[in-house]
Amino acid sequence: MLHTLPFDISSLHAAYAQGLDPAAVMEEAHRRIGAAGDPGIFLHVLEPAALQAQLAQLGAFDPDSKPLWGIPFAIKDNIDAAGEPTTAGCPAYAYEAGADAFVVGVLRAAGAILIGKTNLDQFATGLVGVRTPFPVPLNALDPAIVPGGSSSGSAVAVAHGIVSFSLGTDTAGSGRVPAALNGIVGLKPTLGALSATGVVPACRTLDTISIFALTVGDAYKVFAAAAVFDPADSYARPLVLAESPVAAPTFRVGVPDTASRRFFGDAVQAASFDATLESLRERGAEIVELDFGPLYAIAEMLYDGVWVAERYTVIEALLREQPEAVLPVTRAIIQRAEKFSAADAFRGFYRLQDLRREALAVADAVDLLCVPSIPTFCTVAELEADPVGPNSRLGTYTNFVNLLDMCAIAVPVRTRADGRPGSVTLIAGRGEDARIAAVAAVLQQDCAAPLGATGWPLPQAADVLPVANRDEIALAVVG
Amino acid sequence: MLHTLPFDISSLHAAYAQGLDPAAVMEEAHRRIGAAGDPGIFLHVLEPAALQAQLAQLGAFDPDSKPLWGIPFAIKDNIDAAGEPTTAGCPAYAYEAGADAFVVGVLRAAGAILIGKTNLDQFATGLVGVRTPFPVPLNALDPAIVPGGSSSGSAVAVAHGIVSFSLGTDTAGSGRVPAALNGIVGLKPTLGALSATGVVPACRTLDTISIFALTVGDAYKVFAAAAVFDPADSYARPLVLAESPVAAPTFRVGVPDTASRRFFGDAVQAASFDATLESLRERGAEIVELDFGPLYAIAEMLYDGVWVAERYTVIEALLREQPEAVLPVTRAIIQRAEKFSAADAFRGFYRLQDLRREALAVADAVDLLCVPSIPTFCTVAELEADPVGPNSRLGTYTNFVNLLDMCAIAVPVRTRADGRPGSVTLIAGRGEDARIAAVAAVLQQDCAAPLGATGWPLPQAADVLPVANRDEIALAVVG
């Protein structure tokens, strides 16, 4: 029954091994777009000819040489696909891409099939997903709450099971907040691991492509395929995975101490976080309470500080020539850059450097950090009343990560007592991507978290080992 | 005969081992200040009580536990010494330092004796050494040519043999250009290897303390003693020396190709450079001609680009409240920062990042680079006619180094045919300080270069080995 076939990679590959035609899977993906009944998810769906051209390149089913053979995916509309429009959520900015973004090309070469381009907070500026001139995508689990952004459409498409995975981008949390709000996985790689060639920048020094999937295993599989060094991207860095072992059977997980937990009155979220830490303890984690003050101080620098000038460099001409083409809320944020001088920029870097020392001293005391992915939820109605405050709150636990050159993964955990999705984010230093993915995979299994809005069962991950040491778990998840 | 005793470390330690009193050496240093007859070298000489306090800390002669026991040194007057004034070359900016700069404290603990603070281009802005409201220091070899800057007094003091070594600072070349102009060694460490605590910044992201000495061995000995990690300096980095070996008996030395050599018509300097490359060849170097275009493009960004805003952050209040307290030429340079926005700053970083990729691709093809330290000389009279142009030319081969996170050492070579000092600078990547020092030591020996203006013989360096591989030569020089 194709209509009910789960689109996680294992299920699809099992079906392909049995002879399923990938063209039928693409048709089913289109059917699911219609079934979702939400015109806000996709800004552009590829024409049949463009789909057919990709299928023609596949060759015989061969998941060894093409680990993503026949896997449908979508990309945020600030990422280029050859011959397709890129809007970055702003029609006045739109252009037809001459070539695939580097990562899109790599994924297609690995057998993945692009089916469309997804909605976003304009210019990837926002964490809510409603700052778009197009129809607003609806949260896949509860239309009353915001879908999260800026990678809204990409997250919702995965949560509905329309595609197996999708690409977002993440500067302040755009690849993690929408994952939490839609009950899926959001993998935010180490900066520079995924090429930025062919991506409309937000803050070029802090951006990365991110990956949404239903399971940690799928997200990591896509990441491993995509992490190819691109010499043409000046900010690309070869990914060197960390090797230092964690002593089995315990590992140290740093969490905000009582004084630095922020839930804005959401006691259900607080209880959900505590329950998740208990699950980690049962797997051998030693929970270490830390003062997150230095991390929050860094987080506040991102939107209040000089980095907004990076966004300004992207649309300076547009702001001057057609300011009305930019959404008022987005324009107000980005035009703040005009008040900052180059001297202010350097003062910001000095302050960041000082705060980094403090924050890394905190983080170095543990093997990884675990935080709530979001402090609380935000309804569409709340956001209409105040378009900025709730947006800022959503970034509480995400804003500091890229400024600290850390990697992160948002993972679904037990559904909260009120039925809303649970999510925590694991965070570690540059290059520790495999290690936090391994812990996240265990956590997803242990919590038997639902897979977005699909109702599909969590695949039994034969390749997830108990957390033992960094090398072993890295291998386990990569495999 | 104390009057003729060379002040290199080996000679002084040999004399101390024979019973020489360090107080007598300090008296002799004071006599040499008078004998030099140049009131522009020192801005401040320590009082007898301050000298006596240092001598009282020395204990018995013990060069093993105190490798700089009884060694007189001077520091540029933008570096703090407890209880002494710091002016940065600007009386209106002056303050009395509450504590030693971290590096000064480390050197004193290693037995070095501070005797005074030296003149500089105001706020370390300049490569000429004449941009000071105090008497201009005279070049130690030829008073018609500029002393070089910004660390003018520190270089001249060493070239006269008044002190064994001195500290400068180096952002654009301030630790190398004056070394070349006075016939001494200028060691510019990897950024972050020497603490910046207690140093008046020029460009905080690009500054380092530098070391002047008569011999490469002495400069490296001081560097090794000073390179202590300072956790209070946010830009400090533990020095990790590079380990990759160079295949004996050859090593690859990159030099500007014919099209990218710049001597501004100075054929004597061109011939001097060629002769030095021949000396390197005789030691097994393979000379590789490289297009230095990408490196020059980076060099141009330093003074023309947004980094001048870093200097602005240091004296913004002074410029606003007492602009006339800053020299007109210095003020004009630093006020250029006012035209740059934060967006301009980020555009500058993006361009630098792109150029870095190109430049490092050039540099990665070889084991080290060798350039003329200066393209040509500049007379005091020329600079009076044009205070900016000749200054810029002096930075031709130095400006790009800190922007590329490379280390460098300026080393005296054969005296030029016209009697002016010869000098080349060896450059390599971050952490390769020991390796370029080893090659520099060999070059200084082979060229039998004069030691500044002292007329002293070059000490036979028993510890300089032929260039064999990176590890061996590093050990040879450190020992």
Side-chain angles (χ1 to χ4, degrees):
Chain A
M1 277 307 303
L2 200 48
H3 287 197
T4 58
L5 178 67
F7 270 11
D8 63 274
I9 297 174
S10 311
S11 298
L12 272 174
H13 275 187
Y16 285 140
Q18 299 290 322
L20 177 64
D21 181 352
V25 170
M26 302 311 138
E27 275 176 37
E28 171 60 14
H30 281 104
R31 191 198 64 77
R32 293 181 186 186
I33 292 175
D38 180 353
I41 304 174
F42 283 89
L43 296 186
H44 179 71
V45 175
L46 267 62
E47 296 293 327
L51 269 186
Q52 189 50 49
Q54 295 178 83
L55 293 169
Q57 297 295 318
L58 273 183
F61 178 59
D62 180 2
D64 291 330
S65 70
K66 293 190 171 179
L68 303 174
W69 195 97
I71 302 300
F73 76 112
I75 61 176
K76 186 176 180 178
D77 201 25
N78 59 351
I79 302 173
D80 288 348
E84 311 293 345
T86 297
T87 69
C90 179
Y93 183 85
Y95 59 90
E96 184 181 302
D100 276 351
F102 182 90
V103 166
V104 171
V106 167
L107 292 172
R108 295 214 235 203
I113 309 292
L114 179 68
I115 71 158
K117 307 196 65 181
T118 58
N119 207 344
L120 69 159
D121 284 317
Q122 191 176 66
F123 296 114
T125 300
L127 293 170
V128 285
V130 306
R131 293 173 175 173
T132 169
F134 303 105
V136 172
L138 301 178
N139 185 294
L141 298 168
D142 178 354
I145 60 176
V146 296
S150 63
S151 314
S152 51
S154 281
V156 172
V158 166
H160 280 304
I162 295 168
V163 288
S164 304
F165 73 90
S166 61
L167 299 184
T169 58
D170 188 313
T171 306
S174 291
R176 291 161 278 161
V177 167
L181 286 161
N182 291 280
I184 62 172
V185 173
L187 187 159
K188 191 231 56 91
T190 292
L191 292 181
L194 301 189
S195 166
T197 299
V199 181
V200 179
C203 300
R204 195 175 156 198
T205 64
L206 299 174
D207 294 339
T208 176
I209 284 181
S210 68
I211 296 156
F212 297 106
L214 292 173
T215 70
V216 172
D218 281 4
Y220 198 86
K221 182 170 277 201
V222 174
F223 170 63
V228 174
F229 178 69
D230 172 12
D233 172 11
S234 298
Y235 284 93
R237 302 184 295 189
L239 184 69
V240 179
L241 292 175
E243 286 183 41
S244 48
V246 177
T250 61
F251 53 104
R252 292 164 62 83
V253 178
V255 304
D257 60 19
T258 308
S260 51
R261 286 190 198 181
R262 297 187 181 172
F263 295 108
F264 301 99
D266 186 343
V268 184
Q269 189 74 342
S272 168
F273 185 61
D274 279 332
T276 304
L277 297 188
E278 197 46 45
S279 293
L280 282 169
R281 268 197 202 92
E282 285 166 10
R283 281 290 186 164
E286 179 191 347
I287 304 298
V288 182
E289 302 220 334
L290 303 173
D291 174 10
F292 266 48
L295 287 78
Y296 294 149
I298 288 174
E300 281 160 21
M301 294 193 78
L302 187 57
Y303 268 88
D304 294 342
V306 296
W307 284 267
V308 74
E310 297 204 80
R311 301 181 190 269
Y312 190 82
T313 66
V314 179
I315 59 166
E316 183 170 7
L318 188 64
L319 282 174
R320 196 167 42 236
E321 290 154 22
Q322 304 179 59
E324 72 293 340
V326 182
L327 293 175
V329 62
T330 311
R331 194 164 70 222
I333 291 167
I334 298 181
Q335 279 182 329
R336 272 193 246 144
E338 293 172 357
K339 73 178 180 193
F340 291 119
S341 69
D344 292 329
F346 281 104
R347 277 187 283 258
F349 304 146
Y350 303 155
R351 177 162 159 72
L352 173 63
Q353 192 76 0
D354 289 341
L355 290 171
R356 266 186 185 142
R357 273 289 153 91
E358 289 180 51
L360 292 176
V362 172
D364 281 350
V366 294
D367 295 310
L368 58 119
L369 301 175
C370 178
V371 297
S373 298
I374 53 175
T376 185
F377 287 77
C378 161
T379 66
V380 176
E382 281 168 342
L383 203 74
E384 278 165 3
D386 174 6
V388 173
N391 184 92
S392 299
R393 286 198 287 278
L394 284 174
T396 300
Y397 297 108
T398 58
N399 281 339
F400 57 82
V401 174
N402 280 327
L403 282 167
L404 282 169
D405 198 9
M406 301 182 92
C407 59
I409 185 164
V411 57
V413 293
R414 282 177 203 84
T415 301
R416 302 186 347 157
D418 60 0
R420 285 183 171 170
S423 176
V424 297
T425 292
L426 307 179
I427 303 169
R430 165 183 180 182
E432 308 260 15
D433 307 68
R435 192 157 55 89
I436 56 172
V439 178
V442 170
L443 199 55
Q444 188 176 26
Q445 291 285 335
D446 288 355
C447 293
L451 304 185
T454 64
W456 299 334
L458 183 66
Q460 271 306 314
D463 53 358
V464 173
L465 295 178
V467 175
N469 72 46
R470 293 187 191 183
D471 293 339
E472 279 180 51
I473 58 182
L475 290 169
V477 168
V478 177
Chain B
M1 277 310 301
L2 200 50
H3 287 196
T4 57
L5 178 68
F7 269 11
D8 63 274
I9 297 174
S10 312
S11 298
L12 272 175
H13 275 187
Y16 286 139
Q18 300 289 324
L20 178 63
D21 181 353
V25 170
M26 301 312 136
E27 274 177 37
E28 170 62 14
H30 280 104
R31 191 199 65 77
R32 291 181 188 187
I33 292 175
D38 180 353
I41 304 175
F42 283 89
L43 297 186
H44 178 70
V45 176
L46 266 62
E47 296 293 327
L51 268 185
Q52 188 50 48
Q54 296 177 83
L55 293 170
Q57 298 294 319
L58 272 183
F61 178 59
D62 179 3
D64 293 328
S65 68
K66 293 191 172 178
L68 302 175
W69 196 97
I71 302 299
F73 75 113
I75 60 177
K76 186 176 178 177
D77 200 26
N78 59 352
I79 302 173
D80 288 347
E84 311 292 344
T86 297
T87 68
C90 179
Y93 183 83
Y95 59 89
E96 184 182 300
D100 275 351
F102 182 91
V103 167
V104 171
V106 167
L107 292 172
R108 294 214 235 203
I113 309 291
L114 179 67
I115 70 158
K117 307 197 65 182
T118 58
N119 207 344
L120 69 159
D121 283 318
Q122 192 175 65
F123 296 115
T125 299
L127 293 171
V128 285
V130 308
R131 294 173 175 173
T132 169
F134 303 104
V136 172
L138 300 179
N139 185 294
L141 297 167
D142 178 355
I145 62 175
V146 296
S150 60
S151 316
S152 50
S154 282
V156 172
V158 166
H160 280 304
I162 296 169
V163 288
S164 304
F165 73 90
S166 61
L167 300 184
T169 59
D170 188 313
T171 306
S174 292
R176 291 161 278 161
V177 168
L181 286 161
N182 291 280
I184 63 171
V185 173
L187 187 158
K188 190 224 66 78
T190 293
L191 292 182
L194 301 189
S195 166
T197 299
V199 181
V200 178
C203 300
R204 194 176 156 196
T205 65
L206 299 173
D207 294 337
T208 176
I209 284 181
S210 68
I211 295 157
F212 296 106
L214 292 174
T215 71
V216 172
D218 281 2
Y220 198 86
K221 181 170 278 202
V222 173
F223 170 63
V228 174
F229 177 68
D230 172 13
D233 171 11
S234 298
Y235 284 92
R237 303 184 295 189
L239 183 70
V240 180
L241 291 174
E243 286 183 41
S244 49
V246 177
T250 62
F251 54 105
R252 293 164 61 84
V253 177
V255 304
D257 61 18
T258 309
S260 50
R261 287 190 198 181
R262 297 187 180 172
F263 295 107
F264 301 99
D266 186 343
V268 183
Q269 188 75 340
S272 168
F273 185 60
D274 280 333
T276 303
L277 297 186
E278 197 49 42
S279 293
L280 282 168
R281 267 196 202 92
E282 286 166 11
R283 281 288 188 167
E286 178 191 348
I287 304 299
V288 182
E289 301 220 334
L290 303 172
D291 174 10
F292 266 47
L295 286 76
Y296 294 149
I298 288 174
E300 281 159 20
M301 295 192 77
L302 186 57
Y303 268 88
D304 293 343
V306 296
W307 283 266
V308 73
E310 298 203 79
R311 298 180 192 271
Y312 190 82
T313 65
V314 179
I315 59 164
E316 184 170 5
L318 188 65
L319 282 175
R320 197 167 42 236
E321 289 154 23
Q322 304 179 59
E324 74 291 342
V326 182
L327 293 174
V329 62
T330 310
R331 195 165 70 220
I333 290 167
I334 298 181
Q335 279 183 330
R336 273 193 245 144
E338 292 172 356
K339 74 178 181 195
F340 291 119
S341 68
D344 292 330
F346 281 104
R347 278 188 282 259
F349 304 146
Y350 302 156
R351 177 162 160 71
L352 173 62
Q353 193 76 359
D354 290 342
L355 291 171
R356 267 187 186 141
R357 272 291 151 88
E358 290 180 52
L360 292 176
V362 171
D364 281 350
V366 293
D367 296 309
L368 58 117
L369 302 175
C370 178
V371 297
S373 298
I374 52 174
T376 184
F377 288 76
C378 162
T379 65
V380 176
E382 282 167 343
L383 201 76
E384 278 166 3
D386 174 6
V388 172
N391 185 92
S392 299
R393 286 198 288 278
L394 284 175
T396 299
Y397 297 108
T398 58
N399 281 339
F400 57 82
V401 174
N402 281 326
L403 283 167
L404 282 168
D405 197 8
M406 302 182 91
C407 59
I409 186 165
V411 56
V413 293
R414 282 177 203 83
T415 301
R416 300 184 352 154
D418 60 0
R420 285 183 173 171
S423 177
V424 298
T425 292
L426 307 178
I427 302 169
R430 165 184 178 180
E432 309 259 14
D433 308 67
R435 192 159 55 89
I436 56 172
V439 178
V442 170
L443 199 54
Q444 187 176 27
Q445 290 286 335
D446 288 356
C447 293
L451 304 185
T454 64
W456 299 334
L458 184 66
Q460 271 308 314
D463 54 357
V464 174
L465 295 178
V467 176
N469 72 46
R470 292 188 191 183
D471 293 339
E472 280 179 51
I473 57 182
L475 290 170
V477 168
V478 176

